[in-house]
Amino acid sequence: QVQLVESGGGSVQAGGSLRLSCAASGRTSSMYPMGWFRQGPGKEREFVAAISWSGSNTLYADSVKGRFTISRDNNKNMVYLQMNSLKPEDTAVYYCARQNGIASVHVTASAADYAYWGQGTQVTVSS
């Protein structure tokens, strides 16, 4: 059974930083690409970042490129999202997700390619 649990959300002023964490259960979770998505108030869920199982390949949405960094620690079955220079438009519920395709170096921005999702963690950025 696969479980994804996000943590690290909170409230911060514009220009601040937060680090989100995602704990993945399951014996082979470290062998799957992982991603972060977000859903702002009144908006559809959108892709934020993804990382291949080895960490060698990453992908970012244009809106967060240069400000957010995705990383992982396979020994701990953890995935992280370091968010710097936060803006009010980054306010959203952030979701961790596990992409299909064990040991894949390919990462995708399509939510349809992710089979397992966490419950989400709220990030609020005030101006």
Side-chain angles (χ1 to χ4, degrees):
Q1 186 177 359
V2 177
Q3 279 191 316
L4 303 175
V5 180
E6 303 95 337
S7 61
S11 297
V12 64
Q13 288 192 326
S17 298
L18 282 174
R19 188 196 196 203
L20 304 184
S21 299
C22 173
S25 67
R27 192 166 55 89
T28 59
S29 288
S30 63
M31 297 184 68
Y32 286 85
M34 298 290 292
W36 287 95
F37 289 75
R38 67 185 182 186
Q39 186 166 15
K43 298 181 181 179
E44 293 187 353
R45 190 172 297 190
E46 65 175 358
F47 170 77
V48 176
I51 187 167
S52 61
W53 77 274
S54 66
S56 62
N57 194 17
T58 57
L59 180 67
Y60 294 93
D62 287 343
S63 59
V64 306
K65 203 172 293 183
R67 299 188 298 122
F68 291 11
T69 302
I70 189 171
S71 62
R72 66 189 300 161
D73 184 339
N74 286 342
N75 290 325
K76 298 180 180 179
N77 278 0
M78 296 291 294
V79 180
Y80 306 100
L81 186 67
Q82 178 66 44
M83 305 186 296
N84 298 329
S85 302
L86 283 161
K87 305 175 181 180
E89 50 264 44
D90 294 319
T91 294
V93 177
Y94 283 72
Y95 298 90
C96 173
R98 196 182 88 171
Q99 186 184 311
N100 298 326
I102 190 168
S104 174
V105 298
H106 174 69
V107 291
T108 172
S110 173
D113 293 325
Y114 291 79
Y116 295 95
W117 296 79
Q119 296 287 346
T121 185
Q122 175 71 47
V123 171
T124 302
V125 185
S126 58
S127 57

